[in-house]
Amino acid sequence: MSDLESELEEARRNISTDSYLHEKNDEEIAGIRNFQDGLEEFAIDLALKFEANYMERSENTFRETFDRLLQADERILGKWDASKGDFKGGFLNSSFEALAISLGFLLRSGSEVKTDLRQCAIDFWSLPEMTTRFATGKSTEARLNMMVPAGRKIISA
């Protein structure tokens, strides 16, 4: 099993986070004040109002998102190292937020997306704000507010 396939399996176990975020537009992402409480509220609401077609739509979006990412590069959810010309390290939340959440949102909304997702990841990691300390000391909410809109902008066709 490749690294991305292992990460995909982990993400499947945590589908609530992806479902919670991939439905929010940029303004809603910016409005998140307490990520954990919002996620918990979403999960409870989902359980209370569960609809089978919602699960099917979410699973289809999830599979298409991660199939595309896997086809692009099995290490795409790591950090791009320009000096080595490759992704390094393991799974990073920042990559997941910028790439997977963004791609899922765009696919779910029927938006056109770029086909070269590997280049999109490189473009993301080439942003000036993506320095070596890009997420240090940032809350989940602040990081999401930065990563998700940037990823959506890069991935949108």
Side-chain angles (χ1 to χ4, degrees):
M1 184 179 281
S2 72
D3 290 342
L4 187 59
E5 289 170 324
S6 297
E7 291 162 7
L8 174 59
E9 195 57 40
E10 176 68 22
R12 279 190 182 122
R13 289 191 290 273
N14 296 309
I15 195 164
S16 291
T17 301
D18 184 37
S19 295
Y20 170 60
L21 293 173
H22 86 262
E23 293 184 347
K24 293 192 174 296
N25 64 35
D26 290 349
E27 292 78 30
E28 291 169 322
I29 294 282
I32 295 173
R33 296 292 171 247
N34 186 314
F35 177 75
Q36 192 59 42
D37 287 350
L39 180 60
E40 186 175 311
E41 184 179 311
F42 169 80
I44 291 169
D45 192 53
L46 177 62
L48 292 174
K49 300 175 184 173
F50 184 78
E51 297 176 14
N53 66 345
Y54 175 85
M55 186 62 177
E56 184 179 330
R57 285 190 332 267
S58 294
E59 184 174 346
N60 289 341
T61 300
F62 180 89
R63 287 186 186 280
E64 184 175 1
T65 298
F66 283 93
D67 286 348
R68 287 185 184 208
L69 292 171
L70 180 59
Q71 289 171 6
D73 190 309
E74 69 177 25
R75 295 180 43 175
I76 198 168
L77 296 179
K79 184 175 181 185
W80 176 254
D81 185 337
S83 66
K84 294 182 181 176
D86 201 4
F87 295 98
K88 69 175 187 175
F91 175 91
L92 288 177
N93 282 334
S94 298
S95 291
F96 177 79
E97 293 157 359
L99 302 171
I101 300 284
S102 298
L103 180 59
F105 173 82
L106 294 167
L107 292 173
R108 178 96 174 218
S109 67
S111 301
E112 294 292 319
V113 297
K114 293 178 182 165
T115 55
D116 189 349
L117 293 175
R118 186 175 193 277
Q119 185 59 52
C120 289
I122 293 167
D123 293 347
F124 170 73
W125 286 108
S126 300
L127 292 172
E129 56 270 27
M130 299 310 295
T131 63
T132 55
R133 299 181 55 83
F134 61 92
T136 302
K138 285 194 169 63
S139 67
T140 300
E141 297 81 8
R143 201 181 60 247
L144 287 169
N145 192 31
M146 179 178 139
M147 304 298 171
V148 175
R152 288 176 181 172
K153 185 176 178 182
I154 290 169
I155 294 172
S156 291

